[in-house]
Amino acid sequence: MNIDFHVHSILSKKLEFDSELFLQGIEYAKESGLNAFVLCEHFNAVDLMSIYSYLRNNYKYQGDRYLVNGFSVFVGMEVDIKNGGHIIVCGNRDSILKIRERLEFHIKRSNFIAFEELLDIGEKYECLMIGSHPYRPKHKLYLQPLNLLARLDALDLNTKDIYKRGLEIVEEEVSNLSKILNIPYVTGSDTHYPIQLGTVRTCFEAECDTIKDLKECIRNKNFKIEVSKALKLKVYSAKITKNNIKKLKKNMKEDFKKE
């Protein structure tokens, strides 16, 4: 099973969920050789609950994932933590809703949840927890205490970081931290627009239907990592398209207000 552990379904956390774009993303992911992804919208995205409702109302839920036109969608959130860093929390759909409720008091930057508290919650619900882009300049997860980082299931080898700084540099940083913590690293495209899907993928030897399956395969390192040779072109194309669509939506809203 080929999976992407870091996927967003909307262009920006300030915009609404677009089911048509989501379904186009599913088809593009399939054509790009993916069989599954973790849908981990930002926990403070304005339309987060619409995504969960859309999936629940339209698709079969089997194991711990939705089956969307033959494609596996695991659900989660990308959570900001106090003192810097993002954590992907992926779990059973009911567990994710309960965790989101717990995070309602931690929406604003001034009150982001403490790393240790989030780890405690995630472990309580037996979630898969991944440290997002640990060396990104604006989200320096690697500066968090090592004993807390070691409680994560994996680190994130992230497409956007590879695009900006190069695969060799980024993978060396993530790999070194992985060795220090004695936890593996997996891949995340960090896409907000479908063209970026397939730039990286984690290829498991087995099919995974549950969070337990994912955690076990990661822990046992039963996978290999693949990085697309067309990564830079795909990321650039996704970035330009995303920005143009956001500008178009903004202009449409301004024109509507003038009428």
Side-chain angles (χ1 to χ4, degrees), residues 53-69:
S53 296
Y54 169 78
L55 289 169
R56 184 179 289 267
N57 293 335
N58 290 280
Y59 299 102
K60 181 179 180 180
Y61 190 73
Q62 185 175 309
D64 291 324
R65 88 284 198 223
Y66 287 100
L67 297 174
V68 182
N69 300 337

Side-chain angles (χ1 to χ4, degrees), residues 19 65 87 121 144 181 220 223 235 259:
S19 60
R65 88 284 198 223
I87 304 298
I121 295 171
Q144 293 282 353
L181 301 174
N220 294 332
F223 63 86
V235 175
E259 293 181 358

Side-chain angles (χ1 to χ4, degrees), residues 92-103:
N92 174 277
R93 63 180 180 179
D94 294 328
S95 297
I96 292 299
L97 288 175
K98 291 176 183 177
I99 294 171
R100 179 59 185 79
E101 289 179 10
R102 296 277 297 272
L103 293 172

Side-chain angles (χ1 to χ4, degrees), residues 186-228:
V186 293
T187 57
S189 67
D190 205 354
T191 182
H192 282 265
Y193 191 76
I195 296 174
Q196 202 160 304
L197 289 164
T199 48
V200 293
R201 58 190 184 188
T202 301
C203 306
F204 288 126
E205 296 177 1
E207 292 293 320
C208 296
D209 300 336
T210 66
I211 303 303
K212 182 179 179 180
D213 292 341
L214 291 176
K215 288 167 68 75
E216 184 175 346
C217 283
I218 291 173
R219 182 171 58 251
N220 294 332
K221 299 182 180 179
N222 292 329
F223 63 86
K224 64 178 181 178
I225 285 173
E226 294 183 354
V227 179
S228 171

Side-chain angles (χ1 to χ4, degrees), residues 10 25 36 48 74 97 125 130 157 168 210 215 223 233 259:
I10 54 179
L48 177 65
F74 294 88
L97 288 175
Y125 289 102
I130 300 172
L157 181 65
E168 185 175 347
T210 66
K215 288 167 68 75
F223 63 86
L233 177 60
E259 293 181 358

